[in-house]
Amino acid sequence: MDTFVSLINGFGVALEPSKLLFCLIGVFLGTAVGVLPGIGPALTVALLLPVTFKLDPAGSLIMFAGIYYGGMYGGSTTAILLNAPGESASLATALEGSKMAKAGRGGPALATAAIGSFVAGLIATIGLTFLAPWLVEVAIKFGPWDYFALMIVAFVTVSATFGDSPLRGLTSLFLGITLGLVGIDKLTGQARLTFGVPELLNGIEVTTLAVGLFAVGEALYVASKRFRDPEEIIPIKGSLWMSKQDWKRSWAPWLRGTAYGFPIGALPAGGAEVPTFLSYSTEKKLCKYPDEFGKGAIEGVAGPEAANNASAAGTLVPLLTLGLPTSATAAIMLAGFQQYGLNPGPLLFAEKPDLVWGLIASLFIANVMLVILNLPLIGLWVKLLAVPQPWLYAGILVFATMGTLAVNASPVELGMLFLFGYLGYLMRRYDYPVAPMVVGLILGPMAEAQLRRALQISLGDPMILLENPISATLLGVAFVALVAPFVMKGLNRFKASED
């Protein structure tokens, strides 16, 4: 009953005219950036962080969440009409969606993606509404040793799941943790890794790192590939709407995709890639028309798109209740919370209930806005694909520079922005994931503080981490998550050598 009361109060916040405007801007921008190849919600939120630092915290966070949801929606347009998924989560959609578009059924493919996203987003947001308070009650009982172990789990799982190589993910993570050590040590008051630069005494700004890695790095990477073959847009032919047969074949995949996406997205090692491909393989097995798979089966679009959007709501569960990001966009959103002096976790529900429940209520509103925006404006989204990339990324560089200078008009800050941008380019060039680096910078100092607190309570005895059952279990999970990718890689090599 308390959840219903809190949600009603949240709608009171989310339905304020200013909050509705923030939500509309967020879903519109999110859909637009989801459509544009190579520009995802993480990059957009990173760009907006320095611009929104003086705005209303609740409205800004509602806008960020709208961008996240909208980016999940918009990614299907690129995957279907260009066969160029903007994010890895849209890979499964592209397999069947592009074939449907080439066969003249791009309209029904876009329609089932939009409606499936709405259904999955609605169900998953309901799940978030009821799961989050329960998880908060559990998290309140955690001690500092439990929080430290939980962050170790986040470090390992995020590093292992982003990118193709766990070792590269861990390298990116340790770079971020090292950057988190820069500044004044809160316990001793000593300067660490500042090299005599006064601007570094307050530490590395998360917004500068995020904008540099995601925005500047992406722009430089795209510029380095500007001579690649241009992508051809598949025109939409025939009706935009779904037939009765399409509805009949889509509703079950929508529900099954939601059942995959939400719980897997809520796991510390979640993300959207695993549930989308699980959904695709499940629909391929259960489809009554197996011959259509590989040629444009509507189930292969409906299921993965539902799983993709359900995982976005699932990602917000550990972010809001535990302060743990499980995707690149969630990591940037965590930086957004910290920008306003807010730390997601169980205490946030007690200290800022209006903000948290207003954010959750806005997700329901964002879902309705998105389904209204997506289908009628499909012509506009398709025209966005014709924007010349040099104009687009030049604008991103200007926007990133101006936003960073607006927060801190310092030559050192500007230099760090482009240093991190060049680092982001190199990481993309050599296939190092950038998200673990942001996670390391954000969670590294928090993990250090929790470890020190635990050691102070235990009078310096590190065995307290293993004596407590919750922290011991979490550290065991972290160890398994760390070792498993290397073991699987070794087994695959062994099998390959035998063959």
Side-chain angles (χ1 to χ4, degrees):
M1 195 64 180
D2 291 341
T3 301
F4 282 108
V5 174
S6 299
L7 186 60
I8 290 170
N9 292 335
F11 272 107
V13 175
L15 290 172
E16 293 174 6
S18 61
K19 304 300 188 296
L20 286 174
L21 179 61
F22 273 111
C23 188
L24 180 62
I25 292 171
V27 297
F28 189 87
L29 280 176
T31 305
V33 301
V35 168
L36 291 168
I39 302 180
L43 188 155
T44 310
V45 176
L47 272 177
L48 289 174
L49 279 178
V51 180
T52 57
F53 77 107
K54 286 188 178 179
L55 297 180
D56 172 35
S60 298
L61 293 170
I62 285 172
M63 181 173 66
F64 295 158
I67 290 171
Y68 194 10
Y69 267 37
M72 296 294 105
Y73 269 72
S76 61
T77 303
T78 312
I80 291 168
L81 299 182
L82 275 182
N83 193 22
E87 292 197 334
S88 55
S90 299
L91 282 170
T93 303
L95 295 174
E96 300 300 322
S98 61
K99 301 289 193 305
M100 288 184 69
K102 287 177 181 176
R105 283 175 44 79
L110 291 168
T112 193
I115 298 168
S117 296
F118 170 75
V119 172
L122 185 63
I123 296 172
T125 306
I126 293 172
L128 166 65
T129 303
F130 290 96
L131 179 60
W134 174 80
L135 199 56
V136 164
E137 290 181 7
V138 175
I140 286 174
K141 300 173 184 176
F142 279 16
W145 39 84
D146 300 320
Y147 273 113
F148 173 73
L150 191 63
M151 288 175 191
I152 295 298
V153 172
F155 285 151
V156 173
T157 53
V158 166
S159 303
T161 53
F162 280 106
D164 298 326
S165 167
L167 190 58
R168 289 176 179 173
L170 288 169
T171 303
S172 175
L173 172 73
F174 281 114
L175 280 173
I177 292 175
T178 303
L179 290 175
L181 296 174
V182 174
I184 295 176
D185 184 350
K186 293 180 181 178
L187 189 65
T188 64
Q190 296 294 315
R192 302 188 298 190
L193 302 178
T194 58
F195 304 105
V197 180
E199 286 85 354
L200 294 179
L201 290 173
N202 290 327
I204 303 290
E205 288 287 342
V206 177
T207 52
T208 304
L209 178 69
V211 173
L213 289 179
F214 284 92
V216 180
E218 181 68 21
L220 294 175
Y221 181 67
V222 170
S224 72
K225 297 173 66 178
R226 67 190 180 93
F227 294 113
R228 64 185 176 182
D229 296 332
E231 293 160 329
E232 183 183 352
I233 303 171
I234 304 170
I236 301 175
K237 303 171 186 175
S239 171
L240 263 179
W241 203 237
M242 297 164 63
S243 65
K244 186 177 179 181
Q245 180 72 1
D246 291 334
W247 280 91
K248 188 177 178 182
R249 291 176 60 177
S250 293
W251 69 268
W254 290 339
L255 297 179
R256 284 192 288 265
T258 305
Y260 279 126
F262 178 69
I264 294 177
L267 293 173
E273 295 81 2
V274 173
T276 52
F277 278 103
L278 279 175
S279 174
Y280 181 82
S281 60
T282 300
E283 298 311 322
K284 191 173 182 179
K285 290 176 183 176
L286 297 179
C287 183
K288 294 180 181 178
Y289 310 93
D291 294 341
E292 288 189 22
F293 263 82
K295 301 175 184 177
I298 196 168
E299 293 90 344
V301 177
E305 269 307 296
N308 184 8
N309 283 268
S311 70
T315 299
L316 295 178
V317 175
L319 176 65
L320 292 176
T321 58
L322 301 172
L324 296 180
T326 58
S327 71
T329 310
I332 307 302
M333 286 184 68
L334 179 58
F337 275 96
Q338 293 189 335
Q339 175 176 269
Y340 298 110
L342 303 169
N343 288 314
L347 292 180
L348 188 64
F349 279 76
E351 295 171 355
K352 300 282 184 180
D354 290 347
L355 186 147
V356 175
W357 287 104
L359 176 61
I360 293 173
S362 74
L363 299 176
F364 289 98
I365 299 169
N367 256 303
V368 176
M369 286 182 175
L370 281 164
V371 79
I372 294 172
L373 281 175
N374 264 262
L375 291 176
L377 297 180
I378 188 63
L380 173 63
W381 307 131
V382 172
K383 286 180 181 177
L384 276 177
L385 294 171
V387 175
Q389 281 195 337
W391 296 6
L392 183 65
Y393 284 96
I396 286 174
L397 285 175
V398 171
F399 200 71
T401 304
M402 292 176 63
T404 302
L405 288 175
V407 177
N408 188 356
S410 161
V412 174
E413 204 73 27
L414 189 60
M416 285 196 295
L417 173 70
F418 288 101
L419 177 65
F420 292 143
Y422 185 64
L423 179 61
Y425 159 71
L426 291 176
M427 292 175 77
R428 283 170 173 79
R429 172 72 178 78
Y430 295 102
D431 200 24
Y432 280 79
V434 295
M437 191 170 174
V438 179
V439 171
L441 177 62
I442 297 171
L443 293 187
M446 296 167 63
E448 180 190 15
Q450 296 292 351
L451 177 61
R452 282 179 161 182
R453 196 171 298 150
L455 292 175
Q456 284 174 337
I457 293 172
S458 66
L459 301 178
D461 183 9
M463 291 305 294
I464 192 172
L465 297 171
L466 300 177
E467 291 170 357
N468 188 282
I470 297 176
S471 60
T473 303
L474 290 171
L475 288 174
V477 170
F479 178 76
V480 172
L482 178 63
V483 173
F486 296 100
V487 172
M488 294 301 296
K489 202 170 183 179
L491 288 174
N492 290 335
R493 283 181 179 175
F494 180 71
K495 288 179 182 178
S497 64
E498 279 192 335
D499 294 338

